Amino acid sequence: MNEKTFKALLASTATIFTLIFCVMVMPAFFENPDIISAFAAGFVNPFASGYSADVILCWLVLLIWIVYEATQLSVRYGWICLLLGIIPGVAVGFALYLIIRHPQVNRET
């Protein structure tokens, strides 16, 4: 896979997730803007709890990776990806991090 395709697929995935988030989550949140209830809704049954725990821990892995590469490889702007990993979601933050880190890491090597 070439670099252009790599970046296009990542950007497409982030865009698709953002659209799904806007269609599925935002109307319910505007109807009841209680952030605590919205968070708790991810734990309504064992299956949802498993997926929610996975998402939270994936965000934590992303945090560790971004902090490590910021200190060891001087990769910049990872904090933006961490914010986007919270809203709209880890799929967006992770995809964006791969896009922004790629030229920085390749420049170093």
Side-chain angles (χ1 to χ4, degrees), residues 14-29:
T15 301
I16 290 167
F17 179 80
T18 301
L19 292 172
I20 291 169
F21 182 85
C22 288
V23 169
M24 300 296 292
V25 175
M26 295 310 292
F29 182 72

Side-chain angles (χ1 to χ4, degrees), residues 52-64:
S52 294
D54 182 50
V55 169
I56 292 166
L57 293 175
C58 283
W59 185 87
L60 185 59
V61 169
L62 183 62
L63 169 70
I64 293 165

